[in-house]
Amino acid sequence: MARGVTGTSRNPVTWLGVPTFPKAARASLADTQLRRNLQHATHTIREKRAEAVGEVEDWEQLRSAGEAIKDETLANLDTYLEQLETAVTARGGVVHWARDAAEANEIVLQLAAQAGADEVVKVKSMATAEIGLNEALEAGGIAAVETDLAELIVQLGNDRPSHILVPAIHRNRAEIRDIFRREMPGAPADLAAEPRALAEAARAHLRRKFLTAKVAVSGANFALADTGSIMVVESEGNGRMCLTLPQTLITVMGIEKLLPSWRDLEVFLQLLPRSSTAERMNPYTSVWAGVTPGDGPQNFHLVLLDNGRTETLSDPVGRQALRCIRCSACLNVCPVYERVGGQAYGSVYPGPIGAILTPQLVSDPHDEQAASLPFASSLCGACFEACPVRIDIPEVLTHLRARTVEAKSKRSPESIAMSALASIMRSRRKYELAQKTGALAARLSPTEKISRLPWPGSRWTSARDAPLPASESFRTWWRNNRGGPDQ
């Protein structure tokens, strides 16, 4: 299997059928219940995180240390990956190299079939969602059961996740109760919309799955090159059940999740829980290395996934997105995400990090959804301040915006409009004439905004309103109020 190379048939990480960001965002803005759910959840998480981070006096030094460790790892990724393979193999595990989603899915499907499984239990994993593993398994006759509570809610509701850490953040208790009553086998008909009752119903449903599963599939928060250890951190205990009970464990891991040594966890196990769940430490931290005879899974397979990561690594600016430890801190402070939610991004990676990671992993100039994501930001910089590994998301956003614009034809409506605008702004006479024309249009308009323009302006107003020009320009105001020529 080829190593560290990008395949030519990568499976897109965007959801099919989702329109470009502005259109999807407009639909989300119209959903008042969604906006209430998001505002309550993000503000709660944000406040708790601020308290947890405030307890650490050397937080900024920890952020810098995390950034340095990640950058050093990415700079020498080929060496560390080979070191990881050697360590995992020495401990009885088997390493598989997947260039793209299709290869990764085929590997997992074959391994599950070889184990005689018609059903697998899963630990929450962004990588498996990225490659569409559940759908690939279903096509191969194998059911995938999500065991994380939020992922289970999304799966039973035939829904899409909207948050990295809390996939069902857009659902409230009443909605979850209705989903469980309707879709969960054995759920009580009188199930109450209370957290304890909902958790108990999910626990009873999943316990049967844990005890009968032959195969489990997990992601990985970190992998350690020196010992071949794989780590998963979680809050519910479902991960521990998946990682210990089945006979076969398959881990699908993006190649960027690697750390050089066990000692590096000292930094990341302080950064991750405080940034994600606002806890001092994760309730469950599971670490395994290969196979231990007579204890736990007796077959361990590690699938190392590229799927666009090598190509992303080649971009000196964009590569910093690969530092991401999937904490979701940037989502919880983003004013755009708070108002439209994760589904508007059309990607398994929503929010600010999704706006810079998805376009690079997809790397398809014809994917309008992915190309629109870098523009889904106000560039306020709150995401960079929150990021525990100091990813300069605004810098990458502007870099990717420029790349998108450069890829467009010089004869596109946007390019023609910008050329015309540049011509106007280079000439004082043309600029003042345009201002006067705009002011006249504003005074004659019966409305305060422009909701519909003819093509090509309709491409803008189909998803957003355009403000009317000011009825009086600043230059005119200056002349009228200061009594002299403008400078």
Side-chain angles (χ1 to χ4, degrees):
M1 194 72 68
R3 305 178 182 181
V5 294
T6 302
T8 57
S9 58
R10 293 208 301 270
N11 206 33
V13 296
T14 49
W15 290 311
L16 297 179
V18 177
T20 55
F21 182 84
K23 293 181 181 178
R26 191 169 196 172
S28 298
L29 287 170
D31 189 337
T32 56
Q33 183 62 59
L34 171 70
R35 295 182 65 184
R36 283 195 295 268
N37 294 349
L38 286 169
Q39 184 179 42
H40 173 74
T42 54
H43 280 244
T44 300
I45 297 172
R46 188 188 311 172
E47 291 167 4
K48 290 183 177 180
R49 178 188 178 276
E51 293 178 7
V53 168
E55 296 176 350
V56 184
E57 294 182 359
D58 61 344
W59 181 253
E60 290 304 317
Q61 289 86 345
L62 282 170
R63 290 180 72 209
S64 297
E67 174 188 15
I69 293 170
K70 275 291 188 177
D71 282 351
E72 197 277 333
T73 306
L74 293 172
N76 300 282
L77 191 57
D78 53 348
T79 300
Y80 288 126
L81 284 171
E82 291 186 351
Q83 186 179 351
L84 174 70
E85 180 184 35
T86 299
V88 170
T89 303
R91 292 173 177 262
V94 180
V95 177
H96 308 262
W97 300 79
R99 290 172 292 189
D100 53 31
E103 287 191 358
N105 288 334
E106 183 62 25
I107 291 168
V108 176
L109 184 59
Q110 288 184 2
L111 292 173
Q114 290 170 7
D118 57 8
E119 185 175 84
V120 302
V121 289
K122 288 187 64 199
V123 185
K124 179 177 179 294
S125 164
M126 300 298 292
T128 59
E130 173 189 326
I131 62 177
L133 178 61
N134 287 12
E135 293 77 9
L137 288 173
E138 182 179 4
I142 298 175
V145 178
E146 297 289 354
T147 65
D148 174 85
L149 179 57
E151 288 285 358
L152 178 64
I153 294 166
V154 170
Q155 185 178 44
L156 291 176
N158 193 28
D159 201 355
R160 297 179 306 203
S162 61
H163 194 275
I164 290 176
L165 182 68
V166 194
I169 195 172
H170 57 292
R171 296 291 192 183
N172 60 30
R173 298 175 189 176
E175 291 172 318
I176 295 169
R177 176 203 58 201
D178 293 342
I179 291 172
F180 280 10
R181 283 178 175 177
R182 185 175 65 249
E183 302 293 343
M184 181 185 288
D190 59 348
L191 181 63
E194 296 297 326
R196 184 186 183 106
L198 296 173
E200 185 60 35
R203 183 180 293 113
H205 168 70
L206 291 174
R207 183 61 60 106
R208 295 187 292 271
K209 303 295 184 180
F210 291 137
L211 294 176
T212 58
K214 297 179 180 179
V215 175
V217 177
S218 84
N221 290 101
F222 305 106
L224 308 175
D226 60 345
T227 62
S229 302
I230 312 298
M231 175 176 288
V232 165
V233 296
E234 38 107 7
S235 301
E236 301 171 16
N238 64 297
R240 184 69 56 84
M241 301 287 277
C242 289
L243 299 169
T244 56
L245 292 179
Q247 281 293 299
T248 298
L249 173 59
I250 305 169
T251 296
V252 180
M253 184 190 89
I255 56 176
E256 82 281 11
K257 292 297 188 72
L258 197 55
L259 296 176
S261 69
W262 186 270
R263 184 176 180 179
D264 297 320
L265 290 174
E266 177 186 357
V267 172
F268 289 95
L269 289 185
Q270 294 183 75
L271 290 173
L272 180 56
R274 284 180 166 84
S275 295
S276 57
T277 56
E279 296 171 298
R280 297 182 181 91
M281 64 184 295
N282 294 99
Y284 293 91
T285 300
S286 300
V287 186
W288 68 97
V291 173
T292 302
D295 184 20
Q298 296 303 290
N299 303 290
F300 172 59
H301 298 268
L302 175 62
V303 182
L304 294 174
L305 176 69
D306 187 319
N307 206 41
R309 287 159 175 79
T310 297
E311 190 170 326
T312 302
L313 192 61
S314 68
D315 186 332
V317 178
R319 68 188 299 174
Q320 59 186 298
L322 296 178
R323 291 185 205 147
C324 178
I325 57 176
R326 310 294 193 267
C327 70
S328 75
C330 62
L331 280 69
N332 300 324
V333 299
C334 177
V336 176
Y337 175 84
E338 180 185 317
R339 285 160 179 80
V340 303
Q343 294 187 356
Y345 291 81
S347 167
V348 296
Y349 301 110
I353 187 60
I356 65 171
L357 185 59
T358 298
Q360 297 189 88
L361 295 184
V362 173
S363 191
D364 180 358
H366 301 294
D367 191 322
E368 293 186 7
Q369 173 68 15
S372 72
L373 292 182
F375 299 89
S377 171
S378 65
L379 298 179
C380 67
C383 49
F384 171 60
E385 296 299 326
C387 179
V389 289
R390 292 177 50 83
I391 301 172
D392 193 340
I393 294 178
E395 178 188 30
V396 184
L397 285 169
T398 54
H399 169 68
L400 295 178
R401 288 181 183 186
R403 194 172 75 178
T404 298
V405 172
E406 290 168 0
K408 291 184 177 180
S409 168
K410 300 302 181 184
R411 296 183 178 180
S412 69
E414 181 181 345
S415 296
I416 294 172
M418 288 299 172
S419 296
L421 184 61
S423 174
I424 292 172
M425 298 188 74
R426 279 195 297 263
S427 167
R428 177 170 177 165
R429 183 182 61 81
K430 292 180 181 179
Y431 185 68
E432 289 191 334
L433 180 60
Q435 285 184 316
K436 290 177 181 179
T437 302
L440 177 61
R443 287 194 292 269
L444 296 176
S445 174
T447 63
E448 297 181 354
K449 59 186 178 182
I450 302 172
S451 299
R452 183 177 298 176
L453 287 172
W455 191 90
S458 59
R459 298 190 65 180
W460 174 276
T461 55
S462 66
R464 56 178 77 79
D465 295 323
L468 285 172
S471 59
E472 182 182 41
S473 71
F474 177 75
R475 290 174 181 268
T476 302
W477 178 90
W478 183 270
R479 293 190 188 104
N480 294 340
N481 290 275
R482 301 293 178 166
D486 54 299
Q487 300 298 316

